[in-house]
Amino acid sequence: MLGWLWLKSFERAEVRNLNRSTVTASDYTLRVQDIPADSTEAELAAHFAQVTGETVAAVHLVYSNAREIGLYFKRGRLMRRRFNCVQRIRYERTAERTSGKEHKGAQVRVVNRLLQERDELTTLIHMRDEEREQIVASKPRAIEAFVTFETEEAVLKAVGEYQHSWFRLVCCCYPDRLLFKGLRLRVSQSPEPSTIIWENLDVPSRSIFLRQCLTTGTAMLAILLSVVFTFLAR
């Protein structure tokens, strides 16, 4: 446990050193959570420009399209299987032309089976495309936003505006000027785009917390059991 705490503190120190020596997209961008589902880029840009008094360069909304992204992954796996099947068909037909008569009957059966598999995969791909078109036709809800400023100072100012003590967050002391459409926003500096798993952004915060508790508890239990078995082995 002490080693883990030391590694965490060492990691934070290294991250700070790297951030001082490099300029990245996250230095100019905020991650805004708990936004209303009907939010627009223009409304968020106007809100943060008013809060910070700085110019907003761009706003990008994140929509609840995890299901659509999942369909793209499934379609990609089907396309790979179909490609391999087509290549196998070509191979078997080439072998059929060069082999003797005693093997042609078996190769014809193999080719027919592969042709049937190819047709089934093609049908599944069309079904995935139709399902994806239905999802695209329905308007998804906005779940998060990434607000990009023209200066790093504006990002720090915005994060500072939304950092309040737990007392102000729990009690009725939350500044009205920070409310967006009557709702409180969660504002933090954006992570690097390359580290974001976009389909996971649609997972609710409560679900993330429960999963973190489960994994942490499992890890602690495994450590405890290993310590117990080590002492028992002695």
Side-chain angles (χ1 to χ4, degrees):
M1 180 61 68
L2 293 176
W4 179 79
L5 292 174
W6 179 83
L7 286 175
K8 291 296 290 184
S9 62
F10 179 78
E11 180 184 8
R12 286 193 292 268
E14 286 298 310
V15 168
R16 287 195 296 268
N17 292 332
L18 289 174
N19 287 337
R20 293 192 190 100
S21 58
T22 57
V23 177
T24 61
S26 63
D27 295 333
Y28 295 85
T29 306
L30 291 177
R31 181 183 181 183
V32 184
Q33 298 172 276
D34 297 339
I35 64 174
D38 58 347
S39 302
T40 63
E41 288 92 343
E43 291 172 339
L44 286 165
H47 173 74
F48 281 96
Q50 181 181 4
V51 169
T52 61
E54 302 285 345
T55 304
V56 176
V59 177
H60 299 281
L61 290 175
V62 179
Y63 294 98
S64 57
N65 55 0
R67 187 181 174 192
E68 181 183 353
I69 296 175
L71 286 176
Y72 280 115
F73 281 116
K74 292 179 181 178
R75 189 183 189 277
R77 288 192 289 268
L78 290 173
M79 289 294 293
R80 185 183 305 148
R81 289 176 55 190
R82 188 182 184 278
F83 173 81
N84 294 334
C85 183
V86 170
Q87 297 303 312
R88 182 72 185 279
I89 291 171
R90 292 177 179 175
Y91 170 80
E92 294 293 340
R93 282 178 171 172
T94 302
E96 180 183 350
R97 290 193 295 268
T98 58
S99 64
K101 293 183 179 180
E102 65 274 8
H103 299 294
K104 283 190 176 181
Q107 288 175 336
V108 168
R109 289 192 295 272
V110 171
V111 170
N112 290 335
R113 179 179 58 80
L114 291 172
L115 288 173
Q116 182 180 0
E117 182 182 353
R118 183 199 62 182
D119 294 339
E120 291 175 354
L121 291 172
T122 303
T123 302
L124 288 175
I125 291 171
H126 290 325
M127 292 173 60
R128 292 290 180 265
D129 288 339
E130 292 175 358
E131 188 176 357
R132 180 183 57 84
E133 289 175 358
Q134 293 177 357
I135 295 175
V136 172
S138 61
K139 186 177 180 181
R141 59 184 178 85
I143 54 177
E144 289 188 17
F146 291 93
V147 181
T148 304
F149 291 89
E150 293 186 352
T151 62
E152 293 184 60
E153 181 183 359
V155 174
L156 297 176
K157 186 183 297 184
V159 172
E161 289 285 351
Y162 280 90
Q163 284 183 344
H164 299 288
S165 64
W166 66 269
F167 180 79
R168 295 191 70 179
L169 293 175
V170 173
C171 301
C172 301
C173 304
Y174 197 84
D176 292 337
R177 65 185 185 86
L178 299 182
L179 296 176
F180 179 71
K181 293 186 174 182
L183 298 178
R184 300 180 181 182
L185 302 176
R186 282 194 294 152
V187 175
S188 59
Q189 189 167 0
S190 169
E192 292 300 325
S194 59
T195 64
I196 299 175
I197 303 176
W198 297 98
E199 60 269 26
N200 288 352
L201 296 181
D202 200 15
V203 180
S205 301
R206 182 179 179 183
S207 178
I208 294 175
F209 176 74
L210 292 176
R211 294 181 187 185
Q212 289 175 341
C213 292
L214 178 61
T215 54
T216 303
T218 303
M220 296 299 295
L221 180 61
I223 294 173
L224 180 62
L225 289 176
S226 65
V227 172
V228 171
F229 286 134
T230 300
F231 278 103
L232 290 178
R234 293 180 180 180

